[in-house]
Amino acid sequence: MVAETVILEVAPPGPDHWTEAWITADFTFRNLGDAPEQMEVGFPLSCPSCIWPPTGEIQEINDLAVYINSLQVTPHLETAVFPSHYNDLSLNCAVFDSTFPPGLDVFVRVTYTARSLFVSYNYHIFTYMLQTGSGWYDTIGSADIITRLPYPANALNTWLDRSGLTGDSPTIIPTISGRELCWHYE
């Protein structure tokens, strides 16, 4: 995978204090081999920490759209198991076929709406799972995670939680500019 760019465009909270974010995830894949590779690609429709109060049910994406090189494709539903250092995770995934020609970039775009995980009248949490890209063979070049808020961002009105991250990576603090928070990984 050459690059991943995720944009979370957060809507202002509604009268019931819930809010949504419109998610666009762009992936650039490049086959570094000498022959075309055909495989199923999957995108998780939920995450283990996506519990939707007050029901306690796991929040699942229901409006996912997938595009390969700008052409919309129709995924099918499968359950996939992701290894975890706590327990293996079984998640519903949107799965679609893709061909990766040697030496050429393939662009995949995924869009959907996420409802915030409501914490209080002042805090809303959105999650995005990065672990699923780890199955790509060879290197992952870069990832940019961009959150656009409906108001200017600053250290007093954002909460940057690393509790779901593992490994020896140092804490990565986002760049804050206007109403955007940007994380960059390589």
Side-chain angles (χ1 to χ4, degrees), residues 79-95:
T79 300
V81 177
F82 296 94
S84 170
H85 61 280
Y86 297 113
N87 294 316
D88 288 348
L89 307 173
S90 294
L91 302 174
N92 285 334
C93 292
V95 177

Side-chain angles (χ1 to χ4, degrees), residues 40 47 117 140 153 156-157 186:
E40 287 188 323
C47 69
L117 304 177
I140 296 177
L156 299 176
N157 64 12
E186 288 194 31

Side-chain angles (χ1 to χ4, degrees), residues 96-107:
F96 49 95
D97 291 321
S98 187
T99 299
F100 300 93
L104 296 177
D105 288 349
V106 174
F107 302 98

Side-chain angles (χ1 to χ4, degrees), residues 54-65:
T55 65
E57 295 175 9
I58 292 180
Q59 184 181 175
E60 191 162 284
I61 297 167
N62 60 15
D63 65 345
L64 186 82

